[in-house]
């Protein structure tokens, strides 16, 4: 199972499923609790990957690109940057989608419809969650409206000249830092909404 990253990943997922099934067999659950758990697990794991990529881009990839010579930079743009971009683009969709769905079982949205009666929630908890969600949507927008279109210019996937490429690189770095700025507050506020109050 350690012969490749894919095998290790599959083994890790299988281990998680086995442990969760054992817990369910031992203690039971209901459909709502189970659905909420599955969405939460997908949300947290995809958020870890997305925020991990933001960390990697800012503290590893960007300094490497800046410090590399032309040949090294070419290698990074060919072998590393496109893979990193693919991972953070797709995980960002998954975080948003699982987060939006999670609003239902947790009672932040349409609680009367979900539970047949309005759901009391402290205002501070609601504000923490919606504040974090607003920050997360801004992060998602930075990825898809600023970082990815400019990265395509940097990678040569869109026609441009050297001046446009330099401007695009500066924008990618700027919005990657904006995502870094928001990543910790969004994560902390989400955890606070779930556990503080
Ligand atoms: C960068 C983006 C995001 C990150 C890093 C993130 C991270 C997290 C984390 C770590 C939790 C706590 C899970 C737990 O401890 O149980 C959480 C919970 C949650 N998140 Fe997110 N999240 C993000 C985006 C979103 C978005 C866009 C939405 C919805 C529009 C959302 C909705 C929720 C909900 C409803 C919960 C459960 C809160 C509760 O149980 O009271 N998240 N999120």
């Amino acid at each position: 199972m350690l012969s490749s990253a894919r095998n290790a990943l599959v083994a890790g997922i299988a281990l998680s499923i086995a442990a969760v099934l054992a817990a369910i067999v031992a203690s039971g659950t209901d459909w709502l609790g189970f659905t909420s758990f599955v969405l939460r697990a997908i949300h947290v794991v995809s958020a870890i990957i997305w925020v991990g990529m933001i960390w990697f881009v800012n503290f590893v990839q960007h300094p490497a690109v800046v410090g590399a010579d032309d040949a090294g930079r070419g290698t990074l743009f060919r072998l590393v940057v496109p893979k990193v971009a693919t991972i953070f683009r797709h995980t960002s969709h998954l975080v948003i989608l699982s987060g939006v769905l999670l609003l239902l079982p947790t009672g932040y949205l349409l609680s009367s419809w979900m539970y047949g009666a309005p759901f009391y929630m402290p205002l501070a908890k609601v504000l923490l969650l919606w504040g974090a969600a607003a920050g997360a949507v801004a992060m998602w927008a930075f990825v898809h409206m600023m970082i990815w279109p400019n990265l395509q210019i940097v990678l040569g996937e869109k026609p441009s000249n050297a001046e446009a490429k330099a401007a695009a690189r500066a924008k990618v770095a700027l919005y990657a830092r904006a995502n870094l700025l928001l990543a910790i507050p969004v994560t902390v506020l989400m955890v606070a909404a779930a556990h503080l109050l």
Side-chain angles (χ1 to χ4, degrees):
M1 76 175 88
L2 298 180
S3 59
S4 70
R6 179 182 293 254
N7 286 356
L9 178 65
V10 171
I13 293 171
L15 200 59
S16 319
I17 292 173
V20 168
L21 283 180
I24 292 173
V25 169
S27 296
T29 185
D30 56 40
W31 272 109
L32 193 58
F34 182 70
T35 311
S36 175
F37 158 74
V38 170
L39 288 172
R40 201 180 284 269
I42 293 172
H43 189 62
V44 171
V45 172
S46 50
I48 287 172
I49 299 171
W50 183 13
V51 173
M53 283 294 144
I54 292 172
W55 198 273
F56 175 80
V57 164
N58 281 280
F59 292 116
V60 181
Q61 182 178 284
H62 182 66
V65 167
V66 170
D69 57 15
D70 284 348
R73 197 168 298 134
T75 307
L76 287 169
F77 284 159
R78 197 159 38 85
L79 297 180
V80 178
V81 177
K83 282 204 175 100
V84 172
T86 301
I87 296 171
F88 73 64
R89 279 168 53 226
H90 294 309
T91 46
S92 73
H93 289 314
L94 204 53
V95 173
I96 299 286
L97 181 66
S98 55
V100 169
L101 293 175
L102 199 51
L103 293 170
L104 296 172
T106 45
Y108 290 96
L109 205 64
L110 302 176
S111 60
S112 305
W113 176 69
M114 281 295 294
Y115 293 99
F119 202 89
Y120 171 74
M121 224 183 253
L123 180 63
K125 182 176 165 81
V126 175
L127 291 178
L128 282 168
L129 189 283
W130 286 110
V137 170
M139 288 169 68
W140 179 88
F142 292 160
V143 167
H144 296 280
M145 291 168 192
M146 303 308 299
I147 296 177
W148 178 231
N150 282 293
L151 200 54
Q152 285 176 297
I153 296 175
V154 175
L155 295 175
E157 292 179 12
K158 284 181 182 170
S160 66
N161 54 30
E163 206 178 309
K165 271 192 181 170
R169 253 174 72 183
K171 274 197 186 141
V172 170
L174 181 71
Y175 284 94
R177 283 195 288 270
N179 262 4
L180 179 65
L181 172 74
L182 288 172
I184 302 292
V186 165
T187 309
V188 170
L189 264 60
M190 290 267 162
V191 173
H195 301 288
L196 185 64
L197 305 165

